[in-house]
Amino acid sequence: MKNKYSLSETIATAYALICTKLFYKGARLIRRPFYCRGKAKLQFDEGLTTGYSCRFDLLGEDNDNSKKLFIGKNCKLGDNVHIVANEKVIIGDNCLMASKIFISDTNHGNYSNKTIDSSPDVPPDDRLLYMRPVVIGNNVWIGENACILLGVTIGNGCIIGANSVVNRDVMDNCIVAGSPAKVIKKWDNKNKVWITNR
């Protein structure tokens, strides 16, 4: 099926394509508007495509100029994908993301009861930032409105259901859904079928 763009959409896409070739060499298409704080901390491989209004916040500690967000080959991000990478977010090859997805390696405060700097008496914006890397494997499909939280590793070949909140690791070749996300199916490589998790 061919995409049929209106004249205004064709013009907007042509403008975005020119900007992509000028400012994001190697990417396929970065649609406008696109917001990237800390562009020098972004590393991506060829074929990156984004939808409208994607936002990358790549800050880290003062005087830290290391790469924070790594995106593999041929990744496609939908509209309004927001990624926060203050320590490190790694996204593998051939990942597909729907719209309105939030991925963050950072939290305002630590709520593990190991520190006292996250008291409800402290305004959230004044709490110390707590960071843990996020890793997303190859061939991962993330559904609409999903939220991937700090410290999570998602294995290769996974599917993250729409509206899911992923707050723990996901093994390879699993489908997870819910809030918090739980495994609902696993790929049986021997029989080549998805098996419902009981």
Side-chain angles (χ1 to χ4, degrees), residues 23-130:
F23 304 114
Y24 294 94
K25 292 183 172 128
R28 183 176 163 267
L29 178 63
I30 306 293
R31 287 186 174 85
R32 302 293 174 158
F34 174 70
Y35 310 95
C36 186
R37 291 198 300 169
K39 181 184 172 192
K41 298 177 182 181
L42 169 64
Q43 180 176 314
F44 61 89
D45 218 323
E46 62 188 19
L48 174 64
T49 304
T50 71
Y52 297 103
S53 298
C54 289
R55 175 179 163 189
F56 299 166
D57 292 312
L58 319 175
L59 302 176
E61 302 289 342
D62 291 339
N63 302 316
D64 177 3
N65 296 318
S66 64
K67 300 296 184 187
K68 300 297 177 188
L69 175 58
F70 301 82
I71 303 176
K73 292 181 182 176
N74 302 316
C75 289
K76 298 178 177 78
L77 284 61
D79 299 338
N80 297 293
V81 172
H82 183 189
I83 301 174
V84 176
N86 286 310
E87 184 171 319
K88 189 176 290 184
V89 173
I90 300 171
I91 298 169
D93 297 339
N94 305 308
C95 289
L96 177 63
M97 298 184 194
S99 298
K100 300 174 186 167
I101 291 166
F102 180 62
I103 300 169
S104 179
D105 68 352
T106 305
N107 202 9
H108 284 269
N110 180 351
Y111 304 98
S112 64
N113 293 323
K114 294 179 181 175
T115 64
I116 58 170
D117 63 329
S118 302
S119 163
D121 300 330
V122 177
D125 202 31
D126 292 339
R127 297 174 194 170
L128 291 176
L129 292 180
Y130 179 63

Side-chain angles (χ1 to χ4, degrees), residues 155-175:
N156 298 325
C158 289
I159 298 171
I160 310 300
N163 301 307
S164 296
V165 176
V166 184
N167 63 356
R168 62 182 64 121
D169 292 351
V170 181
M171 295 186 306
D172 290 353
N173 306 320
C174 288
I175 299 175

